[in-house]
Amino acid sequence: MPNSPAQAPDPNEQQTGRIQEYIHSPIKQKILYKRTLLIVIMSQIFGGAGLAAGVTVGALLAQDMLGGDRYAGIPAALLTLGSAAAAFFVGRLSDQFGRRIGLGTGFLLGGVGAIIVIYAAVSNSVILLFLGLLLNGAGNATNLQARYAGTDLAKPKQRATAISMAMVATTFGAVAGPNLVNVMGNVAGSFGVPTLAGPFILATVAYLLAGFIFFAFLRPDPFLVAKAIVKQEADHEKHNHSTQTTEKPLTEKMSTIAKRGIIVGTTVMVLTQMVMVAIMTMTPVHMQHHGHGLQEIGLVISIHIGAMYLPSLVTGVLVDKLGRTTMSVTSGVILLSAGLLAAVAPGDSLAVLIIALALLGLGWNLGLISGTAMIVDATHPATRAKTQGTIDVLVGLSGAAGGALSGMVVAQSSYATLSLAGGRLALALVPVMIWYLKKNARAS
C-alpha cells in the first residue's frame, strides 16, 4: 500500500501545546504579558482613530439627515446600544475562544458598520444609517474590552497600570481622528460622498487594521493561558483535603466581598459613562448653534478624547497606589466640576468649553480605570471574560440612555440644564464609595 499522506497538524492541538509551555514557566508568562501589552497598544492606536468618527460627526450627520436637535442624540444612543450588544457578544466569544477571536471579530464588525454608514450617507437612507451605527458600536465596545486583555496575566498591583497603558495608546488615534474631520471630509467629497461621512472612511480602515493585529499576532492567547494556570492550581488544591474545612468560612466571606466589588465597580463605570456620553453628545450641536465650525468642534472633541485616554498612564499608577475607592470619589468630583463649568460657559467661549470637556474626559478616565480594576480584582479568571462582557453591556446601555436623553433634555430645556444634571449624577459616586468602605470594614 502507498504511504498515506501526512496529516496536517490540528491548530487546536498546537494552541493547547503552546499554552502548556507557559503554565510552568513564570519567565514565559512575564514575556507573554509584555508581548500582549505591546499587541494591545498597537491595536488601540488604530482602534482609537475608529472610535473618534462617530463621536465627532455622528450627531451632526443625524441632524443633517433627520432634521432638528431632537434626534441629534440618536447616533450616540445607537453607537452605545450597539456597543452594549457587542460587549456581550465579544465577552462570550472571548470566554469560549480567547481574546484573539473575540476582539478580532469585534473590530471587524465595527469596520463593516462604518462602511454601511458611508453607504447610508450616499443613499440618504436613515434605516441604513441606524444599522451602520449599531454595528459601528461594536468597534467602540471592542476598543474598551481590549483593555482587559492586558490584565489577564498581570499581577494584582499591575492591573490598573496595564489597563492604563492600553488606554494611553488609544489616545494617539482618538486625538488624531477628530482633527482629521476636514481632511477626511475632502477625501469623501472627492469620491462623491457627503462630507460628514468622511470620518467613517477613516473608521473603516482603522477598525479593520485593529482586528487584523489581534487575529495575526495574539498567539498564544493570554486569556487561555491564564485560565489554564488557574485550572492547574485548582487541580492541585483538590488533593489537599486537610484545609477544606477551615477554608470554607473564609471562602464564603471572600465571595461576598467579591460580589460587592463587582456591583460597586459596575456602578462606577455606569455612572461615569452615562454622564460623559450625555454631555459629550450635545457639545458639538451646542457649539454649532453658537457659530463654531467643524474645525473648532473637532478641536474640542479631540482634546476631550485626549483627556479620556492620555492621562491613563498616570491615573493607572494612582489607582494602583492610592486605591480604587479614592480615585472613584475623585472621578465624581471632577465630573461635577466639568458639568458646572459646561453649564456656565458662554456659548462663544472656545477656551472654557475646552476646559470643561477636558475635565469631563479626565473624570471618565478615572472612573473607568478604577471601576475596571475593581472588576478584575473581584472576578475569577475562569469566568472573567464572560463577566466583563456582561458588565460592559450595562455600561453601554447607560451610555445609550445618556445619549438618547441628552437631545431631548436640550430640546426641552438647555445645554446648561443637561450639564448640571450630569454633574449632580456623577456626585452619587461619593455615597456609593462610603457604603462600600463601611461594608468591607464590617466584613474584615
Side-chain angles (χ1 to χ4, degrees), residues 327-407:
M327 300 313 292
S328 294
V329 170
T330 306
S331 167
V333 173
I334 291 175
L335 287 172
L336 173 64
S337 302
L340 291 172
L341 195 57
V344 302
D348 58 352
S349 176
L350 187 65
V352 180
L353 280 173
I354 284 174
I355 295 171
L357 268 290
L359 287 173
L360 185 71
L362 177 61
W364 176 88
N365 173 278
L366 288 171
L368 185 77
I369 294 180
S370 300
T372 301
M374 285 184 185
I375 299 301
V376 176
D377 291 343
T379 50
H380 191 276
T383 57
R384 184 169 289 158
K386 188 187 297 183
T387 304
Q388 289 164 345
T390 303
I391 289 167
D392 276 5
V393 170
L394 297 175
V395 175
L397 289 174
S398 69
L405 291 173
S406 64

Side-chain angles (χ1 to χ4, degrees), residues 251-299:
T251 302
E252 289 176 353
K253 183 187 292 185
M254 293 301 292
S255 177
T256 301
I257 294 173
K259 287 177 183 176
R260 195 179 298 129
I262 291 173
I263 292 169
V264 173
T266 303
T267 302
V268 172
M269 290 194 287
V270 163
L271 287 178
T272 52
Q273 181 78 358
M274 180 178 288
V275 172
M276 187 276 293
V277 171
I279 298 175
M280 176 199 65
T281 296
M282 295 311 296
T283 298
V285 176
H286 172 70
M287 291 180 67
Q288 190 180 59
H289 285 169
H290 287 85
H292 296 286
L294 275 180
Q295 189 168 355
E296 291 171 311
I297 292 171
L299 175 64

Side-chain angles (χ1 to χ4, degrees), residues 11-22:
N12 292 328
E13 289 182 5
Q14 284 185 331
Q15 175 81 336
T16 302
R18 292 194 69 186
I19 288 172
Q20 292 298 318
E21 294 175 15
Y22 286 82

